[in-house]
Amino acid sequence: DTCVYAKPMQGTTEASRIDFGSRNVLPDAYFGQLLNGLNVVLTQVDILIINQQFRCPLLTPDRITPLNDLIQQHPTICYVADGRDIGQHLRNVTLKVNTAELARFLNVAHHTHPDLDWCVRHGATLAKQIDGPVVVTRGEAGICYVTQQEHYVVDGLTLPGPLDTVGAGDTVVAALAATLPTDASPHQALTIAN
């Protein structure tokens, strides 16, 4: 029942991901057991990463409300989420999105290379909706951390030669998870995540 995926490369370009097990179905009873276990674990940790790699079997739309309820019960925990399909429905988390996800979550037009103003404006809208910060990855343009009131920006790094960007978003999530619970400033967290 374990899902896995492969990201094949075609020359220097990442091809579409190949998923295995994404049509599996996790019974509701198992999901309930998972939430009960998380309820116990959340009394012992500082951070929880919510990383939706697949639309199914774990985080289906009907399971978001119980997850949000659990998050509400443990407000001192730092939550970092990467929810490709469900991110706009999470609440009280730091949500990592790329510009295409941000546009899709808000049902707005997506440009190939949105400028910083676009990212901040739409990031603030999503931050209000989820009641938490939004971290927008902007590819070679960098990264920004947006709340309803403020934003922080770290410009992209100029790196020579071909780059392998597979796992870049996961690296951002990991860096945010490693820094935000330590009371690092948003700018410090972005600098490490970038």
Side-chain angles (χ1 to χ4, degrees):
D1 288 339
T2 301
C3 298
V4 295
Y5 65 87
K7 286 195 172 184
M9 297 295 288
Q10 294 178 333
T12 59
T13 304
E14 181 183 327
S16 295
R17 189 171 95 173
I18 301 170
D19 294 343
F20 302 92
S22 61
R23 297 197 190 277
N24 295 346
V25 176
L26 181 73
D28 288 337
Y30 290 166
F31 185 73
Q33 290 175 0
L34 176 63
L35 287 181
N36 289 338
L38 271 176
N39 193 38
V40 172
V41 169
L42 288 174
T43 64
Q44 305 165 27
V45 299
D46 297 318
I47 178 78
L48 177 68
I49 298 173
I50 303 165
N51 192 345
Q52 183 205 19
Q53 291 289 338
F54 300 93
R55 187 169 295 172
C56 288
L58 187 59
L59 290 176
T60 56
D62 58 322
R63 293 180 173 161
I64 299 304
T65 297
L67 179 59
N68 282 334
D69 291 345
L70 184 65
I71 290 169
Q72 192 70 27
Q73 293 170 28
H74 299 275
T76 62
I77 304 299
C78 179
Y79 300 93
V80 176
D82 185 353
R84 290 164 168 75
D85 297 301
I86 49 89
Q88 75 275 30
H89 302 295
L90 294 170
R91 299 294 178 263
N92 302 301
V93 300
T94 298
L95 180 63
K96 192 279 300 175
V97 296
N98 60 39
T99 57
E101 291 165 339
L102 179 58
R104 187 168 30 88
F105 289 164
L106 296 176
N107 197 27
V108 297
H110 179 254
H111 308 286
T112 305
H113 299 288
D115 64 19
L116 179 59
D117 180 64
W118 184 95
C119 294
V120 170
R121 186 168 20 97
H122 293 301
T125 300
L126 185 56
K128 182 178 181 182
Q129 180 178 322
I130 69 166
D131 199 20
V134 174
V135 175
V136 183
T137 59
R138 304 174 58 226
E140 59 192 40
I143 189 169
C144 59
Y145 178 102
V146 184
T147 69
Q148 294 178 57
Q149 295 83 22
E150 58 190 354
H151 68 275
Y152 303 87
V153 178
V154 173
D155 291 332
L157 302 172
T158 303
L159 301 171
L163 300 177
D164 180 357
T165 59
V166 173
D170 293 333
T171 301
V172 169
V173 169
L176 294 171
T179 54
L180 292 175
T182 67
D183 293 326
S185 71
H187 191 266
Q188 291 168 321
L190 286 183
T191 300
I192 292 169
N194 194 40

